[in-house]
Amino acid sequence: MESVRAVLIDIDGVLTVSWRPLPGAVEALREIREAGLRVALVTNTTSRTRASIAATLDDAGFPVTAQDILTAPAVTAEYLAERWPGARCAVLNSGDIRADLGDVTVVDPADTGAAVDVVLVGGAGPEFGYAALDGAFRQLQRGARLVAMHRNPYWRTEDGLRLDAGAFLAGLEQAARVEAEVTGKPSAAFFAAALAHVGAGAEEAVMVGDDIESDVLAAQRAGVTGVLVKTGKYLPQTHEAASGTPDHVLDSFADLPALLRDSADQ
């Protein structure tokens, strides 16, 4: 921890809930910035573009720009361009993320007569009805690859936990007898992209998240120090049943500057 040069931070459930700042989060991020640490906000959010997220956070007082944000859709676009350039993709997602998908060729998922190369699954919402899921299933039966921006089963809102794409993804995998390639957290590729984004080695970085598996333990497998916060989707029972142990556990992101200071002083 004494060699920390960069901080990777999940947004939803760590800095905000329903895009409203959690207590002390704005001040903590300012302090981290003022200490000269490199920052990347790394999120599986698929309902907004990087520019939209940055504008919302800036309005709330967070010292961030679009360049500080790395989204699952942006990483997915790079992944597709590298592995299947020009692939035709049927996108099943709630929210407009076209700006972050770059040159990805998007086919209307309702057009089941058009063959696609990739079924791309983002975040869940009203779009995940029977017709859309059945259309995706039929494309997978024809040989399309299944790529998921994440497999989160739920997320936290002001109204409590809400179902997310992971539940639907499991059904598609089972029905079509395929396994999704995941591009967002917890994939190793996502953390590699995040470290490259901040120009830091794994041993120089800390990852702060509210999802013990996708944020914290996944980061630790990539060699990054993992910090779990007890906000957002955090549940004691999920913590106890987790596949590993976080390097650090904090009540909230507001406690991170003190942890970094104490570690640097040791």
Side-chain angles (χ1 to χ4, degrees):
M1 286 285 284
E2 67 275 5
S3 63
V4 171
R5 299 290 179 269
V7 184
L8 311 180
I9 309 164
D10 184 32
I11 299 174
D12 191 22
V14 177
L15 298 180
T16 66
V17 168
S18 294
W19 301 104
R20 295 185 180 180
L22 286 166
V26 171
E27 294 77 11
L29 186 56
R30 289 187 184 279
E31 187 172 344
I32 289 168
R33 286 285 206 194
E34 291 168 359
L37 297 175
R38 303 166 195 167
V39 170
L41 306 188
V42 291
T43 176
N44 277 347
T45 296
T46 56
S47 60
R48 300 189 181 202
T49 63
R50 296 168 66 197
S52 172
I53 293 170
T56 299
L57 294 178
D58 180 67
D59 288 344
F62 288 102
V64 299
T65 68
Q67 295 303 312
D68 299 318
I69 299 171
L70 192 64
T71 65
V75 171
T76 300
E78 295 179 4
Y79 180 89
L80 293 173
E82 178 182 336
R83 287 163 178 77
W84 306 296
R88 292 164 53 82
C89 301
V91 180
L92 182 56
N93 179 69
S94 184
D96 187 359
I97 55 172
R98 284 173 292 182
D100 279 358
L101 288 178
D103 296 329
V104 172
T105 301
V106 177
V107 177
D108 185 348
D111 185 4
T112 56
V116 302
D117 304 299
V118 175
V119 171
L120 183 57
V121 179
E127 296 83 356
F128 281 60
Y130 176 81
L133 289 166
D134 184 56
F137 170 62
R138 292 169 66 183
Q139 294 288 7
L140 295 173
Q141 286 183 303
R142 295 172 183 167
R145 293 178 172 87
L146 179 59
V147 176
M149 298 182 202
H150 63 75
R151 56 167 69 250
N152 298 345
Y154 54 82
W155 83 98
R156 171 76 66 179
T157 72
E158 291 178 317
D159 299 324
L161 297 179
R162 303 293 297 273
L163 195 65
D164 208 345
F168 301 99
L169 184 64
L172 286 174
E173 288 178 314
Q174 182 176 356
R177 298 183 181 181
V178 298
E179 183 175 350
E181 301 169 47
V182 180
T183 53
K185 296 177 293 182
S187 73
F190 187 93
F191 287 101
L195 291 170
H197 189 77
V198 293
E203 71 284 357
E204 300 176 308
V206 168
M207 172 68 207
V208 187
D210 63 328
D211 187 317
I212 189 169
E213 296 289 347
S214 292
D215 291 338
V216 180
L217 298 182
Q220 291 178 193
R221 288 194 295 271
V224 176
T225 298
V227 179
L228 177 67
V229 291
K230 296 182 178 181
T231 54
K233 68 172 66 174
Y234 174 87
L235 294 171
Q237 57 266 41
T238 305
H239 187 174
E240 294 171 5
S243 61
T245 303
D247 292 315
H248 302 275
V249 180
L250 300 176
D251 286 335
S252 74
F253 182 75
D255 299 322
L256 183 66
L259 173 65
L260 296 175
R261 286 195 304 270
D262 291 345
S263 299
D265 291 340
Q266 291 177 0

